[in-house]
Amino acid sequence: MKTGYLKIGLCFFFLLGAVTMVHAQKTNDFGNPTLTHFFNPEKTRSISFSGYTEIWARYAELNPGSLVNGEQVNSISDLSLRRVRIKMAYQPTEKLTFILQGGLTNVNVAAKTNPGFELLDAYAEYKFNNVISAGAGRSTWRGLSRFTTGPLNTLLYDLPSYATANAGISDEVVREFSIYAKGQIGRLDYRLVIADPYTNVSADPQFNVANFSKTHPNKDYSGYFKYEFFESENNSSPFHSGTYNGKKKVLALGAGFEYMHNALWHLDGAGTTVHDDEKSFAVDLFYDTPINKERGTSFSAYAMAMNNDYGPNYTRYSGVSNPASGVVAVSASLNGAGNASPVIGTGNTYYLQIGGTLPYFNKEKNTLQLQPAGSITLSDLDGLHDKALTYDAGISLLMNGMSSRFTFDAQNRPIYTLNSAGQATVSDRKWQFVLKYRIDFN
């Protein structure tokens, strides 16, 4: 009952706020006033509402032995809610901001009953000046790389899985309780975060293969620094844009880290439990530029290199919005159930993404555009004998900019099994096809 009252209360609060939004000066991609109400004539104090919904229609070839509702199947076609978000930003003074966000994540055939509407974000931030702001609470503020915090204006159907590699292990829906500092010093943008990670696993230590420990977790330290050569990016939220569709010219060179002491463990040759630190470092480069603003054409590119040390032979297999509920052990691959594939581990991971927008279909109204894109993820992990290569190719139809769009994506992933020498090698490859619709409200 309490959960039901919370849902009703949040929906009522949102609808009440949406109805009473007046005097907004900005318009959104639909040409409507934004859901912002200003408390003073200077428009420095406000309350605003926003959110979005992502709906997937998918066909996926499943990993060997996958079970869906107890039945072994080779493929599946399904509908799912990838994300639903409702967000409130309250700025009672020029210096203070409070963020509250709730939503649903990965409601699919494997979790279609009693989906939980979660409280995702609840944090406050105080801005001393442009050089430093400080905040605390439950949020997705963190460092390491550009896309570590989650999705915003993605070129493809979703973010690359390596970016949120510890999701569901040391965090909840990419959120942790944390304190952070962030700001801009000239062209340098920075963020530093100290977080309390979750302990969501109960794996006993294994010989020469690290797993996340079930002991009391230590602090999660992370940071991300980027130098902006052209236009400056907004850092009011933790999310980085995947593309500006030619609205800005941005060239950002970034570097980041993440460190958790004794986050994992394994057994050595003597059967002694050895604790392992997580140590991750990344460098990346993001470029987004208009080609012809009148025609609406643009180009976007992103490249990333990451080194991760989780301990010996650590490899995580995971699948986005996994439709499978289990796997038959005798038929299973190392990937496990559903659409899981290796996303991160001890070793190096490289990512390249390119895309852009084609000319407007309607030049007078500047509406309807196609946005092709493609990406490659290459992981050279200690726990895999063969390198893991995953590639995506997709195209989006932008109907009202990024606020209303269809995206079709085709993804090919590797399947791993043990060879006669006990090495993890690629034995097959599987496809997944996703048609996503996203609509924003703000």
Side-chain angles (χ1 to χ4, degrees), residues 166-208:
N166 294 344
I169 297 180
S170 60
D171 62 43
E172 287 284 355
V173 200
V174 201
R175 270 81 177 174
E176 294 175 324
F177 286 97
S178 66
I179 58 174
Y180 65 88
K182 53 103 171 181
Q184 293 177 324
I185 307 172
R187 293 185 177 274
L188 178 66
D189 183 290
Y190 75 92
R191 61 181 68 184
L192 293 167
V193 186
I194 303 175
D196 282 326
Y198 291 84
T199 303
N200 289 333
V201 292
S202 56
D204 292 324
Q206 302 176 28
F207 171 67
N208 203 36

Side-chain angles (χ1 to χ4, degrees), residues 134-145:
R138 189 176 193 257
S139 74
T140 187
W141 279 100
R142 61 201 332 177
L144 187 55
S145 73

Side-chain angles (χ1 to χ4, degrees), residues 13-34:
F13 186 58
F14 171 76
L15 292 173
L16 177 63
V19 170
T20 59
M21 295 299 102
V22 293
H23 306 307
Q25 298 299 310
K26 294 182 179 180
T27 58
N28 55 28
D29 286 339
F30 300 100
N32 300 322
T34 58

